[in-house]
Coordinates of all heavy atoms in Angstrom, one line a residue:
F1 N 0.8 -1.2 0.0 CA 0.0 0.0 0.0 C 0.9 1.3 0.0 O 0.3 2.3 0.2 CB -1.0 0.0 1.2 CG -2.1 -1.1 1.0 CD1 -1.8 -2.4 1.4 CD2 -3.2 -0.8 0.3 CE1 -2.8 -3.3 1.2 CE2 -4.2 -1.7 0.1 CZ -4.0 -3.0 0.5
E2 N 2.1 1.1 -0.2 CA 3.1 2.1 -0.4 C 3.2 3.1 0.8 O 3.4 4.3 0.6 CB 2.8 2.9 -1.7 CG 2.8 1.9 -2.9 CD 2.3 2.5 -4.2 OE1 1.3 3.2 -4.2 OE2 3.0 2.2 -5.2
F3 N 3.2 2.5 2.0 CA 3.5 3.2 3.2 C 4.0 2.2 4.2 O 3.7 1.0 4.1 CB 2.3 4.1 3.8 CG 1.2 3.3 4.4 CD1 1.2 3.0 5.8 CD2 0.2 2.8 3.6 CE1 0.2 2.2 6.4 CE2 -0.9 2.1 4.2 CZ -0.8 1.8 5.6
S4 N 4.7 2.7 5.2 CA 5.0 1.8 6.4 C 4.6 2.4 7.7 O 4.5 3.7 7.7 CB 6.5 1.4 6.4 OG 7.3 2.6 6.6
A5 N 4.4 1.6 8.7 CA 3.9 2.1 10.0 C 4.6 1.3 11.1 O 5.1 0.3 10.8 CB 2.4 2.0 10.0
R6 N 4.5 1.9 12.3 CA 5.1 1.3 13.4 C 4.2 1.5 14.7 O 3.2 2.2 14.6 CB 6.5 1.9 13.7 CG 6.4 3.4 14.0 CD 7.8 4.0 14.3 NE 7.7 5.4 14.4 CZ 7.2 6.1 15.4 NH1 6.7 5.5 16.4 NH2 7.2 7.4 15.4
E7 N 4.5 0.7 15.7 CA 3.8 0.9 17.0 C 4.0 2.3 17.6 O 5.1 2.9 17.3 CB 4.3 -0.2 18.0 CG 4.0 -1.6 17.5 CD 2.6 -2.1 17.8 OE1 1.8 -1.4 18.4 OE2 2.4 -3.3 17.4
I8 N 3.2 2.7 18.5 CA 3.3 3.9 19.2 C 4.5 3.7 20.2 O 4.4 2.7 20.9 CB 2.1 4.3 19.9 CG1 1.0 4.7 18.9 CG2 2.3 5.5 20.8 CD1 -0.4 4.9 19.5
T9 N 5.4 4.6 20.3 CA 6.5 4.5 21.3 C 6.3 5.4 22.5 O 5.4 6.2 22.5 CB 7.9 4.8 20.6 OG1 7.8 6.2 20.3 CG2 8.1 4.0 19.4
F10 N 7.1 5.2 23.5 CA 7.1 6.0 24.7 C 7.4 7.5 24.3 O 6.7 8.4 24.8 CB 8.1 5.5 25.7 CG 8.2 6.4 26.9 CD1 7.2 6.3 27.9 CD2 9.3 7.3 27.1 CE1 7.3 7.1 29.0 CE2 9.3 8.1 28.2 CZ 8.4 8.0 29.2
A11 N 8.3 7.7 23.4 CA 8.6 9.0 22.9 C 7.4 9.7 22.2 O 7.2 10.9 22.4 CB 9.8 9.0 21.9
D12 N 6.7 8.9 21.4 CA 5.5 9.4 20.8 C 4.5 9.9 21.9 O 3.9 11.0 21.8 CB 4.7 8.4 20.0 CG 5.5 8.0 18.7 OD1 6.1 8.8 18.1 OD2 5.5 6.8 18.4
R13 N 4.3 9.1 22.9 CA 3.3 9.4 24.0 C 3.7 10.6 24.8 O 2.9 11.5 25.1 CB 3.2 8.2 24.9 CG 2.4 7.0 24.2 CD 1.9 6.0 25.3 NE 1.3 4.9 24.6 CZ 0.1 4.9 24.0 NH1 -0.6 6.0 24.0 NH2 -0.3 3.8 23.4
T14 N 5.0 10.7 25.1 CA 5.4 11.9 25.9 C 5.5 13.1 25.0 O 5.1 14.2 25.4 CB 6.8 11.6 26.5 OG1 7.8 11.3 25.6 CG2 6.7 10.6 27.6
G15 N 6.1 13.0 23.8 CA 6.2 14.2 22.9 C 4.9 14.7 22.4 O 4.8 15.9 22.2
R16 N 4.0 13.9 22.2 CA 2.7 14.3 21.6 C 1.6 14.4 22.7 O 0.4 14.6 22.4 CB 2.2 13.4 20.5 CG 3.2 13.4 19.4 CD 2.8 12.4 18.3 NE 3.9 12.2 17.3 CZ 3.7 11.7 16.1 NH1 2.4 11.3 15.8 NH2 4.6 11.5 15.3
R17 N 2.0 14.1 23.9 CA 1.0 14.1 25.1 C -0.2 13.2 24.8 O -1.3 13.5 25.1 CB 0.6 15.5 25.4 CG 1.7 16.4 25.7 CD 1.2 17.8 26.0 NE 2.4 18.6 26.4 CZ 2.3 19.9 26.4 NH1 1.2 20.6 26.1 NH2 3.4 20.6 26.7
W18 N 0.1 12.0 24.4 CA -0.9 10.9 24.2 C -1.0 10.1 25.4 O 0.0 9.6 25.9 CB -0.6 10.0 23.0 CG -0.7 10.7 21.7 CD1 -1.3 11.8 21.3 CD2 -0.1 10.2 20.4 NE1 -1.2 12.1 20.0 CE2 -0.5 11.1 19.4 CE3 0.6 9.0 20.1 CZ2 -0.1 10.8 18.1 CZ3 0.9 8.8 18.8 CH2 0.6 9.7 17.8
G19 N -2.1 9.9 25.9 CA -2.3 9.0 27.1 C -2.4 7.6 26.6 O -2.3 7.2 25.4
K20 N -2.6 6.7 27.6 CA -2.7 5.2 27.3 C -3.9 4.9 26.4 O -4.0 3.9 25.8 CB -2.8 4.4 28.6 CG -1.5 4.5 29.5 CD -0.6 3.5 29.1 CE 0.6 3.5 30.1 NZ 1.7 2.9 29.6
E21 N -4.9 5.8 26.5 CA -6.1 5.5 25.7 C -5.9 5.7 24.2 O -6.7 5.2 23.4 CB -7.3 6.4 26.2 CG -7.2 7.9 25.7 CD -6.2 8.7 26.5 OE1 -5.6 8.2 27.5 OE2 -6.0 9.9 26.1
V22 N -4.9 6.4 23.8 CA -4.6 6.6 22.4 C -4.0 5.3 21.8 O -3.0 4.8 22.3 CB -3.7 7.8 22.2 CG1 -3.3 7.9 20.7 CG2 -4.3 9.1 22.7
V23 N -4.6 4.7 20.8 CA -4.2 3.5 20.1 C -4.1 3.8 18.6 O -4.7 4.7 18.1 CB -5.0 2.3 20.4 CG1 -5.0 2.0 21.9 CG2 -6.5 2.5 20.0
G24 N -3.3 2.9 17.9 CA -3.2 3.0 16.5 C -1.7 2.7 16.1 O -1.0 2.2 16.9
C25 N -1.4 3.1 14.9 CA -0.1 2.9 14.4 C 0.4 4.2 13.8 O -0.4 4.9 13.1 CB 0.0 1.8 13.3 SG -0.2 0.2 14.0
V26 N 1.7 4.6 14.0 CA 2.2 5.8 13.5 C 2.8 5.5 12.1 O 3.6 4.6 11.9 CB 3.3 6.3 14.4 CG1 4.0 7.6 13.9 CG2 2.8 6.6 15.8
V27 N 2.4 6.4 11.1 CA 3.0 6.3 9.8 C 4.4 6.7 9.8 O 4.8 7.8 10.2 CB 2.2 7.1 8.8 CG1 2.8 7.1 7.4 CG2 0.7 6.7 8.7
D28 N 5.3 5.8 9.4 CA 6.7 6.0 9.4 C 7.3 6.5 8.1 O 8.2 7.3 8.0 CB 7.4 4.7 9.7 CG 8.7 4.8 10.5 OD1 8.9 5.9 11.1 OD2 9.5 3.9 10.4
W29 N 6.7 6.1 7.0 CA 7.2 6.4 5.6 C 6.0 6.3 4.6 O 5.1 5.5 4.8 CB 8.3 5.5 5.2 CG 8.7 5.6 3.8 CD1 9.6 6.5 3.3 CD2 8.3 4.8 2.7 NE1 9.7 6.3 1.9 CE2 8.9 5.2 1.6 CE3 7.3 3.7 2.6 CZ2 8.7 4.7 0.3 CZ3 7.1 3.2 1.4 CH2 7.8 3.6 0.2
V30 N 6.0 7.2 3.7 CA 4.9 7.2 2.6 C 5.6 7.4 1.3 O 6.4 8.4 1.1 CB 3.9 8.3 2.8 CG1 2.9 8.4 1.7 CG2 3.2 8.2 4.2
E31 N 5.3 6.6 0.3 CA 5.8 6.8 -1.0 C 5.1 8.0 -1.6 O 3.9 8.0 -1.7 CB 5.5 5.5 -1.9 CG 5.9 5.7 -3.4 CD 7.3 5.8 -3.6 OE1 8.1 5.1 -3.0 OE2 7.7 6.6 -4.5
P32 N 5.9 9.0 -2.0 CA 5.3 10.3 -2.4 C 4.3 10.2 -3.6 O 3.3 10.8 -3.6 CB 6.5 11.2 -2.8 CG 7.6 10.6 -2.0 CD 7.3 9.1 -1.9
S33 N 4.6 9.3 -4.5 CA 3.7 9.2 -5.7 C 2.9 7.9 -5.7 O 2.4 7.4 -6.7 CB 4.6 9.2 -7.0 OG 5.5 8.1 -7.0
G34 N 2.7 7.3 -4.5 CA 2.0 6.1 -4.3 C 0.6 6.4 -3.9 O 0.1 7.5 -3.7
W35 N -0.2 5.3 -3.7 CA -1.6 5.4 -3.3 C -1.8 6.2 -2.1 O -2.6 7.1 -2.0 CB -2.2 4.0 -3.1 CG -2.2 3.0 -4.2 CD1 -2.0 3.3 -5.5 CD2 -2.4 1.6 -4.1 NE1 -2.1 2.1 -6.2 CE2 -2.4 1.1 -5.4 CE3 -2.8 0.8 -3.0 CZ2 -2.6 -0.3 -5.7 CZ3 -3.0 -0.6 -3.3 CH2 -2.9 -1.1 -4.6
A36 N -1.0 5.9 -1.0 CA -1.2 6.6 0.2 C -0.8 8.1 0.1 O -1.4 8.9 0.7 CB -0.3 5.9 1.3
G37 N 0.3 8.3 -0.6 CA 0.7 9.7 -0.9 C -0.3 10.5 -1.6 O -0.6 11.7 -1.2
F38 N -0.9 10.0 -2.6 CA -2.0 10.7 -3.3 C -3.2 11.0 -2.4 O -3.9 11.9 -2.6 CB -2.4 10.0 -4.6 CG -1.4 10.1 -5.7 CD1 -1.0 9.0 -6.4 CD2 -0.8 11.3 -6.1 CE1 -0.1 9.1 -7.4 CE2 0.1 11.4 -7.1 CZ 0.5 10.3 -7.8
A39 N -3.5 10.1 -1.5 CA -4.6 10.2 -0.6 C -4.3 11.3 0.5 O -5.3 11.8 1.1 CB -4.9 8.9 0.1
G40 N -3.1 11.7 0.6 CA -2.7 12.7 1.6 C -2.2 12.2 2.9 O -2.0 12.9 3.9
L41 N -1.9 10.9 3.0 CA -1.3 10.3 4.2 C 0.1 10.8 4.4 O 0.8 11.0 3.4 CB -1.3 8.8 4.1 CG -1.0 8.0 5.3 CD1 -2.1 8.2 6.4 CD2 -0.8 6.5 5.0
G42 N 0.4 11.2 5.6 CA 1.7 11.8 5.8 C 2.5 11.1 6.9 O 1.9 10.5 7.8
Q43 N 3.8 11.3 6.9 CA 4.7 10.7 7.9 C 4.3 11.4 9.3 O 4.1 12.6 9.3 CB 6.1 11.0 7.6 CG 7.1 10.4 8.6 CD 8.5 10.7 8.2 OE1 8.8 11.4 7.2 NE2 9.4 10.1 9.0
G44 N 4.1 10.6 10.3 CA 3.7 11.0 11.6 C 2.2 11.0 11.9 O 1.8 11.1 13.0
D45 N 1.4 10.7 10.8 CA 0.0 10.5 11.1 C -0.2 9.3 11.9 O 0.5 8.3 11.8 CB -0.7 10.3 9.7 CG -0.9 11.6 8.9 OD1 -0.6 12.7 9.5 OD2 -1.3 11.5 7.7
L46 N -1.2 9.3 12.7 CA -1.6 8.2 13.5 C -2.8 7.5 12.9 O -3.9 8.1 12.8 CB -2.0 8.6 15.0 CG -2.4 7.4 15.9 CD1 -1.2 6.5 16.2 CD2 -3.0 8.0 17.2
L47 N -2.6 6.3 12.4 CA -3.7 5.5 11.7 C -4.7 5.0 12.8 O -4.3 4.3 13.7 CB -3.2 4.3 11.0 CG -2.3 4.6 9.7 CD1 -1.6 3.3 9.3 CD2 -3.2 5.1 8.6
I48 N -5.9 5.4 12.7 CA -6.9 5.1 13.7 C -7.9 4.0 13.1 O -8.3 3.1 13.8 CB -7.7 6.3 14.1 CG1 -6.8 7.4 14.7 CG2 -8.9 6.0 15.0 CD1 -7.5 8.7 15.0
R49 N -8.3 4.2 11.9 CA -9.2 3.3 11.2 C -8.9 3.2 9.7 O -8.6 4.2 9.1 CB -10.6 3.8 11.5 CG -11.7 3.0 10.9 CD -13.1 3.5 11.3 NE -13.4 3.3 12.8 CZ -13.7 2.1 13.3 NH1 -13.9 1.1 12.6 NH2 -13.9 2.1 14.6
I50 N -9.0 2.0 9.2 CA -8.9 1.8 7.8 C -10.2 1.0 7.4 O -10.4 -0.1 7.9 CB -7.6 1.0 7.4 CG1 -6.4 1.9 7.7 CG2 -7.7 0.6 5.9 CD1 -5.1 1.2 7.3
A51 N -10.9 1.6 6.5 CA -12.2 1.0 6.1 C -13.1 0.8 7.4 O -13.2 1.8 8.1 CB -12.1 -0.3 5.3
D52 N -13.5 -0.4 7.7 CA -14.4 -0.6 8.9 C -13.6 -1.2 10.0 O -14.2 -1.6 11.0 CB -15.6 -1.4 8.5 CG -15.2 -2.8 8.0 OD1 -14.0 -3.0 7.7 OD2 -16.1 -3.7 8.0
K53 N -12.3 -1.2 9.9 CA -11.4 -1.8 11.0 C -10.7 -0.8 11.8 O -10.0 0.1 11.3 CB -10.3 -2.7 10.3 CG -10.8 -3.8 9.4 CD -11.1 -5.0 10.1 CE -11.5 -6.1 9.1 NZ -12.2 -7.1 9.6
E54 N -10.9 -0.9 13.1 CA -10.2 0.0 14.1 C -8.7 -0.5 14.1 O -8.5 -1.7 14.2 CB -10.8 -0.1 15.5 CG -10.0 0.8 16.4 CD -10.6 0.7 17.9 OE1 -11.5 -0.2 18.1 OE2 -10.1 1.5 18.7
I55 N -7.8 0.4 14.0 CA -6.4 0.0 14.1 C -5.9 0.3 15.5 O -5.9 1.4 16.0 CB -5.5 0.9 13.1 CG1 -6.1 0.8 11.7 CG2 -4.1 0.5 13.1 CD1 -6.2 -0.6 11.1
R56 N -5.5 -0.8 16.2 CA -5.1 -0.7 17.6 C -3.6 -0.9 17.7 O -2.9 -0.4 18.6 CB -5.8 -1.7 18.5 CG -7.3 -1.5 18.4 CD -8.0 -2.3 19.4 NE -7.7 -2.1 20.8 CZ -8.0 -1.1 21.6 NH1 -8.8 -0.1 21.0 NH2 -7.7 -0.9 22.8
D57 N -3.0 -1.7 16.7 CA -1.6 -2.1 16.8 C -1.2 -2.6 15.4 O -2.0 -2.6 14.5 CB -1.3 -3.1 17.9 CG -2.2 -4.3 17.8 OD1 -2.8 -4.6 16.7 OD2 -2.5 -4.9 18.9
L58 N 0.0 -3.1 15.3 CA 0.5 -3.6 14.0 C -0.3 -4.8 13.5 O -0.5 -5.0 12.3 CB 2.0 -3.9 14.0 CG 2.9 -2.7 14.0 CD1 4.4 -3.1 14.1 CD2 2.7 -1.9 12.7
A59 N -0.7 -5.7 14.5 CA -1.5 -6.9 14.1 C -2.8 -6.5 13.5 O -3.2 -7.1 12.5 CB -1.7 -7.7 15.3
T60 N -3.5 -5.5 14.0 CA -4.8 -5.1 13.5 C -4.6 -4.4 12.1 O -5.4 -4.4 11.2 CB -5.6 -4.3 14.4 OG1 -4.9 -3.2 14.9 CG2 -6.1 -5.1 15.6
L61 N -3.5 -3.6 12.0 CA -3.2 -3.0 10.7 C -2.9 -4.0 9.7 O -3.5 -3.9 8.6 CB -2.0 -2.1 10.9 CG -1.5 -1.4 9.6 CD1 -2.5 -0.6 8.9 CD2 -0.2 -0.6 9.9
K62 N -2.2 -5.0 10.0 CA -1.9 -6.1 9.0 C -3.2 -6.8 8.6 O -3.4 -7.0 7.4 CB -0.9 -7.1 9.6 CG -0.5 -8.2 8.6 CD 0.5 -9.1 9.2 CE 0.9 -10.2 8.2 NZ 1.8 -11.1 8.7
E63 N -4.0 -7.1 9.5 CA -5.3 -7.7 9.3 C -6.2 -6.9 8.3 O -6.8 -7.4 7.4 CB -6.0 -8.0 10.6 CG -7.3 -8.7 10.5 CD -8.0 -8.9 11.8 OE1 -7.3 -9.5 12.7 OE2 -9.1 -8.4 12.0
A64 N -6.2 -5.6 8.6 CA -7.0 -4.6 7.8 C -6.5 -4.6 6.3 O -7.3 -4.6 5.4 CB -7.0 -3.3 8.4
L65 N -5.2 -4.5 6.2 CA -4.6 -4.5 4.9 C -4.8 -5.8 4.1 O -5.0 -5.8 2.9 CB -3.1 -4.1 5.0 CG -2.8 -2.7 5.5 CD1 -1.3 -2.5 5.6 CD2 -3.4 -1.6 4.7
E66 N -4.7 -6.9 4.8 CA -5.0 -8.2 4.2 C -6.4 -8.3 3.7 O -6.7 -8.8 2.6 CB -4.7 -9.4 5.1 CG -3.2 -9.6 5.4 CD -2.4 -9.9 4.2 OE1 -2.9 -10.6 3.3 OE2 -1.2 -9.5 4.1
D67 N -7.4 -7.8 4.5 CA -8.8 -7.8 4.1 C -9.0 -6.9 2.8 O -9.7 -7.3 1.9 CB -9.7 -7.2 5.2 CG -9.9 -8.2 6.3 OD1 -9.5 -9.4 6.1 OD2 -10.4 -7.8 7.3
L68 N -8.2 -5.8 2.7 CA -8.3 -4.9 1.6 C -7.8 -5.7 0.3 O -8.4 -5.6 -0.8 CB -7.6 -3.6 1.8 CG -8.1 -2.7 2.8 CD1 -7.2 -1.5 2.9 CD2 -9.5 -2.2 2.4
K69 N -6.7 -6.4 0.5 CA -6.1 -7.1 -0.7 C -7.1 -8.1 -1.2 O -7.3 -8.4 -2.4 CB -4.8 -7.8 -0.3 CG -3.7 -6.9 -0.2 CD -2.4 -7.8 0.1 CE -1.3 -7.0 0.6 NZ -0.1 -7.8 0.9
K70 N -7.8 -8.8 -0.3 CA -8.8 -9.8 -0.6 C -10.0 -9.2 -1.3 O -10.5 -9.7 -2.3 CB -9.1 -10.6 0.6 CG -10.0 -11.8 0.4 CD -10.3 -12.7 1.6 CE -10.2 -12.0 2.9 NZ -10.6 -12.8 4.0
N71 N -10.6 -8.2 -0.7 CA -11.8 -7.6 -1.2 C -11.7 -6.6 -2.3 O -12.6 -6.3 -3.0 CB -12.6 -6.9 0.0 CG -12.9 -7.9 1.1 OD1 -13.2 -9.1 0.8 ND2 -12.9 -7.5 2.3
R72 N -10.5 -6.0 -2.5 CA -10.2 -5.0 -3.5 C -11.2 -3.9 -3.8 O -11.7 -3.8 -4.9 CB -9.9 -5.8 -4.8 CG -8.9 -6.9 -4.6 CD -8.7 -7.7 -5.8 NE -7.7 -7.0 -6.7 CZ -7.3 -7.5 -7.8 NH1 -7.8 -8.6 -8.3 NH2 -6.4 -6.9 -8.5
P73 N -11.5 -3.1 -2.7 CA -12.5 -2.1 -2.9 C -12.0 -1.0 -3.8 O -10.8 -0.8 -3.9 CB -12.8 -1.6 -1.5 CG -11.5 -1.9 -0.8 CD -11.0 -3.1 -1.4
A74 N -12.9 -0.2 -4.4 CA -12.5 0.9 -5.3 C -12.0 2.1 -4.5 O -11.1 2.8 -4.9 CB -13.6 1.3 -6.2
Q75 N -12.5 2.3 -3.3 CA -12.1 3.4 -2.4 C -12.0 2.8 -1.0 O -12.8 2.0 -0.6 CB -13.1 4.5 -2.4 CG -13.2 5.3 -3.7 CD -14.1 6.5 -3.6 OE1 -15.1 6.4 -2.9 NE2 -13.8 7.5 -4.3
V76 N -11.0 3.3 -0.3 CA -10.7 2.9 1.1 C -10.7 4.1 2.0 O -9.8 5.0 1.9 CB -9.4 2.2 1.2 CG1 -9.1 1.7 2.6 CG2 -9.3 1.0 0.2
P77 N -11.7 4.3 2.9 CA -11.6 5.4 3.8 C -10.6 5.2 4.9 O -10.5 4.1 5.4 CB -13.1 5.5 4.4 CG -13.6 4.1 4.2 CD -12.9 3.5 3.0
I78 N -9.9 6.2 5.2 CA -8.8 6.1 6.3 C -9.0 7.3 7.2 O -9.2 8.4 6.8 CB -7.4 6.2 5.7 CG1 -7.2 5.0 4.7 CG2 -6.4 6.2 6.8 CD1 -5.8 5.2 4.0
M79 N -9.0 6.9 8.5 CA -9.2 8.0 9.6 C -7.8 8.1 10.3 O -7.2 7.1 10.7 CB -10.2 7.6 10.6 CG -10.5 8.6 11.6 SD -12.1 8.1 12.4 CE -11.6 8.3 14.1
V80 N -7.3 9.3 10.3 CA -6.0 9.5 11.0 C -6.1 10.7 12.0 O -6.9 11.5 11.9 CB -4.9 9.9 9.9 CG1 -4.7 8.7 9.0 CG2 -5.1 11.2 9.2
R81 N -5.2 10.6 12.9 CA -5.0 11.7 13.9 C -3.8 12.4 13.4 O -2.7 11.9 13.2 CB -4.9 11.2 15.3 CG -4.8 12.3 16.3 CD -4.8 11.7 17.7 NE -4.7 12.7 18.7 CZ -5.0 12.5 20.0 NH1 -5.4 11.3 20.4 NH2 -4.9 13.5 20.8
R82 N -3.9 13.8 13.2 CA -2.8 14.6 12.7 C -2.7 15.8 13.6 O -3.5 16.7 13.5 CB -3.1 15.0 11.3 CG -2.0 15.7 10.6 CD -2.4 16.0 9.1 NE -2.3 14.8 8.3 CZ -2.8 14.6 7.1 NH1 -3.5 15.5 6.6 NH2 -2.6 13.5 6.5
G83 N -1.7 15.8 14.5 CA -1.7 16.8 15.5 C -2.9 16.7 16.4 O -3.1 15.6 17.0
I84 N -3.6 17.8 16.6 CA -4.8 17.7 17.4 C -6.1 17.5 16.6 O -7.2 17.5 17.2 CB -4.9 19.0 18.3 CG1 -5.1 20.3 17.3 CG2 -3.8 19.2 19.2 CD1 -5.5 21.5 18.1
Q85 N -5.9 17.3 15.3 CA -7.1 17.1 14.5 C -7.2 15.7 14.0 O -6.3 14.9 14.0 CB -7.0 18.0 13.2 CG -6.9 19.5 13.6 CD -6.8 20.4 12.4 OE1 -6.3 20.0 11.4 NE2 -7.3 21.6 12.5
T86 N -8.5 15.4 13.7 CA -8.7 14.1 13.0 C -9.1 14.3 11.6 O -9.8 15.3 11.3 CB -10.0 13.4 13.7 OG1 -9.7 13.2 15.1 CG2 -10.3 12.1 13.1
A87 N -8.5 13.6 10.7 CA -8.7 13.8 9.3 C -9.2 12.5 8.6 O -8.8 11.4 9.1 CB -7.4 14.2 8.6
F88 N -10.0 12.6 7.6 CA -10.5 11.5 6.9 C -10.0 11.6 5.5 O -10.1 12.6 4.8 CB -12.1 11.5 6.8 CG -12.7 11.3 8.2 CD1 -13.0 12.3 9.0 CD2 -12.9 10.0 8.6 CE1 -13.5 12.2 10.3 CE2 -13.5 9.8 9.9 CZ -13.8 10.9 10.7
L89 N -9.3 10.5 5.0 CA -8.7 10.4 3.7 C -9.4 9.3 2.9 O -10.0 8.4 3.5 CB -7.2 10.1 3.9 CG -6.4 11.0 4.9 CD1 -5.0 10.5 5.0 CD2 -6.4 12.4 4.4
S90 N -9.2 9.4 1.6 CA -9.8 8.4 0.7 C -8.7 7.9 -0.2 O -8.2 8.6 -1.0 CB -10.9 9.0 -0.1 OG -11.5 8.0 -0.9
L91 N -8.4 6.6 0.0 CA -7.4 5.9 -0.8 C -8.1 5.3 -2.0 O -9.1 4.6 -1.8 CB -6.7 4.9 0.1 CG -5.5 4.1 -0.5 CD1 -4.3 5.0 -0.4 CD2 -5.3 2.9 0.4
E92 N -7.5 5.5 -3.2 CA -8.1 4.8 -4.4 C -7.1 4.0 -5.0 O -6.4 4.4 -5.9 CB -8.6 5.9 -5.3 CG -9.8 6.7 -4.7 CD -10.3 7.8 -5.7 OE1 -10.1 7.7 -6.9 OE2 -11.0 8.6 -5.2
P93 N -7.0 2.7 -4.6 CA -5.9 1.8 -5.1 C -6.2 1.4 -6.6 O -7.4 1.3 -7.0 CB -6.0 0.6 -4.2 CG -7.2 0.7 -3.4 CD -7.8 2.1 -3.5
Q94 N -5.1 1.2 -7.3 CA -5.2 0.6 -8.6 C -4.8 -0.9 -8.5 O -3.6 -1.1 -8.5 CB -4.3 1.4 -9.6 CG -4.7 2.8 -9.8 CD -6.0 3.0 -10.4 OE1 -6.3 2.3 -11.4 NE2 -6.8 3.9 -9.9
W95 N -5.7 -1.8 -8.4 CA -5.4 -3.2 -8.2 C -4.9 -3.8 -9.5 O -5.4 -3.5 -10.5 CB -6.7 -3.9 -7.7 CG -7.2 -3.4 -6.5 CD1 -8.4 -2.6 -6.3 CD2 -6.7 -3.5 -5.1 NE1 -8.5 -2.3 -5.0 CE2 -7.6 -2.8 -4.3 CE3 -5.6 -4.2 -4.6 CZ2 -7.3 -2.8 -2.9 CZ3 -5.4 -4.1 -3.3 CH2 -6.3 -3.4 -2.4
E96 N -3.9 -4.7 -9.3 CA -3.4 -5.4 -10.5 C -4.4 -6.5 -10.8 O -5.0 -7.1 -10.0 CB -2.0 -6.0 -10.1 CG -1.0 -4.9 -9.9 CD 0.4 -5.6 -9.6 OE1 0.5 -6.8 -9.8 OE2 1.3 -4.8 -9.2
E97 N -4.5 -6.7 -12.1 CA -5.4 -7.8 -12.6 C -4.8 -9.2 -12.4 O -3.7 -9.4 -12.4 CB -5.7 -7.6 -14.1 CG -6.5 -6.3 -14.3 CD -7.8 -6.2 -13.6 OE1 -8.5 -7.3 -13.6 OE2 -8.1 -5.2 -13.1

């Protein structure tokens, strides 16, 4: 999906003032001309939800991405936390035949 993500670290929690209730995966890298880049996903965004799946950790992120590969939807809604705001993005993948 042309991005990579990681677990929330202690440094993330202290630097961004996130409590234990904040869950998700932090976007570590985005391919600028890839699906995620065109959707507006950025390094440092916190992935909260992809399609209908809540992202709590890397395991739930992997599960959500595997479901997308299997179902191949035309559009994928993504909910991210960016600073103090929540943003909704729309990923439009070009699936290989």
Side-chain angles (χ1 to χ4, degrees):
F1 291 87
E2 300 173 318
F3 73 91
S4 64
R6 60 176 173 76
E7 298 278 357
I8 297 173
T9 65
F10 178 76
D12 293 322
R13 291 198 184 281
T14 57
R16 299 178 191 198
R17 298 181 182 164
W18 290 344
K20 296 270 187 198
E21 74 283 355
V22 174
V23 294
C25 289
V26 178
V27 176
D28 209 26
W29 170 84
V30 178
E31 174 65 42
S33 60
W35 299 347
F38 285 132
L41 191 66
Q43 184 177 3
D45 286 349
L46 180 68
L47 292 168
I48 299 171
R49 182 173 290 281
I50 295 181
D52 61 347
K53 305 272 188 202
E54 181 182 8
I55 307 304
R56 301 188 61 75
D57 52 25
L58 285 176
T60 56
L61 174 59
K62 182 177 178 180
E63 183 180 302
L65 296 178
E66 290 297 326
D67 284 350
L68 292 176
K69 283 185 196 177
K70 184 173 31 173
N71 298 326
R72 303 175 90 177
Q75 291 185 327
V76 180
I78 299 174
M79 185 168 134
V80 299
R81 184 171 179 169
R82 185 176 285 164
I84 61 169
Q85 299 179 334
T86 301
F88 294 91
L89 310 173
S90 181
L91 185 78
E92 295 183 15
Q94 298 294 314
W95 302 104
E96 293 180 13
E97 296 300 320

